[in-house]
Amino acid sequence: QVQLVESGGGLVQAGGSLRLSCAASGRTVTNYAVAWFRQAPGKERKIVAAITSLTYYADSVKGRFTISRDNAKNTVYLQMDSLKPEDTAVYYCAARGAALIHTSASRYDYWGQGTLVTVSS
C-alpha cells in the first residue's frame, strides 16, 4: 500500500506562485507514475501533470506549472507559477503502480486527501 499526503495549498493572488508537495510512504514510488489532478466545484477531476522518467502537462498549465520528484525523499512536487483564478480547485496527488503515465483518474490506484488552492483575482 502507498499512502500519499499533499501539502502546500492556500490562498494566493493571481500571478502568484505556490508549490505543492506529495509525500509518499509505505512504498517507494520511484518506479510509479505520479500525477497531480484537480477538481473545481461542480466539475470533474482532471489531470494537471504527471511524471515518470518523462513528464506530462495539461495544455491549460503548460509553461506555468512544473512537476518534479525527489526520489531520496519519496516526494513529488508541483511548482505553480503565474496562477490564474481558473486554477482554483482541490489538488490531488495520485500514483499508479506502473511507470506509465495515464490521463484518466480511474487508472490511478492511490490517492491523497487533497489540498485546496484558491487564486483570487
Side-chain angles (χ1 to χ4, degrees):
Q1 287 288 337
V2 175
Q3 293 80 43
L4 302 172
V5 178
E6 303 99 333
S7 61
L11 173 64
V12 64
Q13 289 188 330
S17 298
L18 283 174
R19 188 178 80 155
L20 305 183
S21 298
C22 172
S25 61
R27 290 183 181 176
T28 180
V29 294
T30 302
N31 295 320
Y32 284 48
V34 180
W36 287 95
F37 286 78
R38 67 185 180 187
Q39 187 168 21
K43 295 189 177 181
E44 66 177 321
R45 191 171 298 187
K46 291 187 176 180
I47 194 166
V48 173
I51 189 167
T52 54
S53 58
L54 303 174
T55 56
Y56 165 87
Y57 295 96
D59 287 343
S60 58
V61 306
K62 279 181 182 176
R64 300 189 297 122
F65 291 11
T66 304
I67 190 169
S68 62
R69 66 196 311 165
D70 184 334
N71 290 333
K73 295 183 177 179
N74 214 24
T75 299
V76 173
Y77 302 98
L78 185 68
Q79 177 68 41
M80 305 187 295
D81 298 318
S82 302
L83 282 161
K84 305 175 180 180
E86 51 263 44
D87 295 318
T88 295
V90 177
Y91 284 70
Y92 297 90
C93 177
R96 61 191 303 254
L100 185 64
I101 292 172
H102 205 289
T103 58
S104 173
S106 65
R107 297 300 187 100
Y108 287 79
D109 306 303
Y110 307 101
W111 290 85
Q113 80 288 352
T115 186
L116 177 62
V117 172
T118 304
V119 184
S120 63
S121 56

